[in-house]
Amino acid sequence: PYACRLRLRALVAAPPEQVEPLFRYVLDQVALAPVAPERLMVPTGASGDEAGPVREDFLAAAQPLLAAADWDGLRRTVAALRELTGAHLLIASALRWLDLVLAAPAPSPGWVAALIETIATGAAVAPAEAGPAGPLPPLARAMIEAQRFALGLPGAEMLPGRIAAIGRGVGAILRALGHDATAWRTAATAAAEGGDPTPMLAALDRLLAADGAAPAVPAAAAPPPVEGAASGGGGEGRAAPRVLKVDQAKVDTLMTLIGELVVSKNSLPFLARRAETVHGSREMGREIKDLYAVIDRLAQEMQAAIMAVRMLPVSEVFERFPRLVRDVARKLGKQVELVIEGEETAADKNIVETLGDPLLHILRNALDHGIEPPDDRAAAGKPPTARLLVRAGQESDQVVIEVVDDGRGIDPARIRAAAVAKGVIPPERAARLSDQEAVNLVFLPGFSTAGTISDLSGRGVGMDVVATTLEKAGGTVSLASTPGQGTTVRLSLPLSMAVTRVMMVEAGGGRLFGIPMDHIAETVRIPRAAIRRIKQAEAFVLREAIVPLLRLDSLLGTAAATGADETAEAEAEAAVLVVRLGGALTGLVVDHFREGMDIILKPFDGILAGIPGYAGTALLGDGRVLLVLNLKELL
């Protein structure tokens, strides 16, 4: 009821803005679509050949006229055949359409060729669509120009074979470009039959003069879309990729749910251990462990799939840099060429958003401090235009961004002098610093080598913001520089911040702590007799390298349970967790090693947010809370 069962179609010459107001109350029931003029050019009528031999004379004259684009001569030929053809025939209808096409100021060669073919075959041939003009690709234009040159070479005895070869070659080029080759085939046929390359030369001149404005693919090869027709299907066609737009909050909810699943999954090993120790059922414990392996695999696959949805290319950040570099370089009077590589590298959306501010500070520092003015570069034997490279890539489970410039580099002596002048470090400590340690002073808060304060530098904020932001995101930043040659800043961030892999250890008399796997180099057990005391510190030798040794319970200030110290001292070996921070190894003495697991890290908030040495908490499978350590602050 109340539903129209009819489908009405109307053809209107008015523009859409004049048609839409007429259907303003039923716009949801009306579909407006543009109709190309060639779609309406459909010769109709009865088949027959009353013109007889006159039609053959028309075709013999029409094809050379089309090849030469002699529209006046073609009009006269059409008018002569129309007088000898019955008005009810298909040929007469094609002639009338041809007369209308030739009346245009610039007739379409594709339409004319299709109508002449209709007259020749006696069957309706869909005319070519008039596609928008576009330039020929450079390679295609060069090939056509070479064919044009070859066609004009002398040598009458070789002309027939040359005409045939060039006709096939240019036709293949036009088909590969998706252009209509009907007019070219007509010209090639006329040239071959007459033994004269003039029609082909004229067709090539028109093609090159129009700079590739060839007719598009014939309409018969690309039928108009049909309402309700399904895309894809059989044949050689391939369905277009389907894109589903999803709100970011929904993806974040999925990430939260997979985090809860990880926590629930971690409870199964505790349940298996309880089945063995409390209930004495080893078979039940084994079955729970087998089930845990299956759920663990599925959870990891789900986590990877959701992470893939959250991945964004770093081009989301890189696309703002060309304008930034251009504006800052113009303001500073410097010539800079920005080169971006690896912009398709993908990372978690939170990581990509984190990269914005650090890269902004690094680029501005490179433009202001690193790259010299053109005159200085020329005096140093460098090209006036500096090269600034921003390169992204993936290494293992890290996304790495490098910013490389070929500027003046960083002078360690100048950094030491600036640090002492600003009171960042005392002179005696500055004298003991190595060149690399002096270069790393640029990451200290408040440090700057600029003589004057501007909107680009001199305020002491920049590289310290880079280091702080990267550390909060679980990443690292390193700087390498060669005076007079350039500087490289390397940022390394985890691909994802959603799930953290930690190793649990016992310290302070059975208390559990989590240590991020990113910092763990290895776990060893060393004889207690191998621990040496150097002044007030302990150390041990690991593969001919001296590793300083610290006790985790002392660092955390946790008092061991009664009798725990005596039990630990009675053991012949010490459990040492070797961690790597800033390229240096440090050993942490713990009570026992426990298993590793994936956790959802929850940072401290409220009054606990300022506690140093802790990255946050995680919920274990048995309901206990695991404290996750921040080794960079702790050590």
Side-chain angles (χ1 to χ4, degrees), residues 299-565:
Q300 290 182 5
E301 292 178 358
M302 289 179 62
Q303 177 183 333
I306 297 175
M307 288 304 305
V309 176
R310 290 168 54 97
M311 299 288 266
L312 289 178
V314 294
S315 59
E316 296 280 336
V317 178
F318 286 3
E319 62 187 10
R320 73 183 76 163
F321 293 155
R323 180 176 180 180
L324 168 72
V325 172
R326 182 178 65 251
D327 293 346
V328 175
R330 184 185 298 115
K331 181 176 181 179
L332 297 174
K334 299 178 180 180
Q335 300 175 10
V336 182
E337 176 193 6
L338 176 64
V339 180
I340 296 178
E341 297 179 0
E343 55 187 341
E344 71 281 356
T345 303
D348 187 89
K349 67 177 185 64
N350 293 335
I351 296 296
V352 173
E353 293 169 357
T354 300
L355 286 170
D357 286 343
L359 287 176
L360 176 67
H361 290 299
I362 293 173
L363 288 176
R364 292 173 62 161
N365 272 355
L367 293 169
D368 191 19
H369 297 285
I371 295 175
E372 314 96 320
D375 295 341
D376 295 350
R377 292 181 61 86
K382 297 181 180 180
T385 301
R387 186 173 186 265
L388 183 58
L389 171 64
V390 181
R391 178 170 52 211
Q394 182 176 339
E395 296 181 4
S396 184
D397 59 346
Q398 300 277 316
V399 56
V400 177
I401 313 289
E402 289 184 341
V403 180
V404 184
D405 68 75
D406 60 351
R408 61 171 60 94
I410 300 177
D411 185 3
R414 185 184 176 198
I415 297 295
R416 290 190 186 94
V420 173
K422 292 182 177 293
V424 176
I425 57 175
E428 57 275 10
R429 182 185 171 192
R432 293 195 302 267
L433 293 178
S434 64
D435 288 347
Q436 184 60 47
E437 291 173 341
V439 168
N440 289 337
L441 292 176
V442 300
F443 294 110
L444 294 178
F447 182 84
S448 176
T449 58
T452 58
I453 296 177
S454 67
D455 58 346
L456 289 177
S457 61
R459 294 167 295 169
V461 293
M463 297 306 290
D464 64 317
V465 173
V466 173
T468 302
T469 304
L470 268 291
E471 288 180 2
K472 288 182 179 179
T476 58
V477 56
S478 61
L479 190 150
S481 182
T482 303
Q485 298 183 16
T487 303
T488 299
V489 181
R490 179 183 173 95
L491 310 181
S492 181
L493 281 162
L495 286 176
S496 170
M497 293 166 43
V499 178
T500 305
R501 182 77 177 173
V502 300
M503 179 178 183
M504 291 194 303
V505 296
E506 287 186 16
R511 295 180 177 88
L512 286 180
F513 299 96
I515 297 178
M517 285 287 190
D518 297 339
H519 300 309
I520 298 177
E522 59 182 299
T523 57
V524 295
R525 290 187 176 273
I526 60 173
R528 294 192 177 272
I531 299 177
R532 304 299 183 189
R533 180 171 292 276
I534 302 175
K535 293 185 178 181
Q536 301 300 320
E538 292 180 322
F540 73 102
V541 178
L542 178 65
R543 290 188 292 275
E544 300 182 358
I546 298 177
V547 179
L549 200 61
L550 301 173
R551 298 184 181 274
L552 186 58
D553 51 4
S554 300
L555 289 174
L556 299 175
T558 56
T562 304
D565 288 341

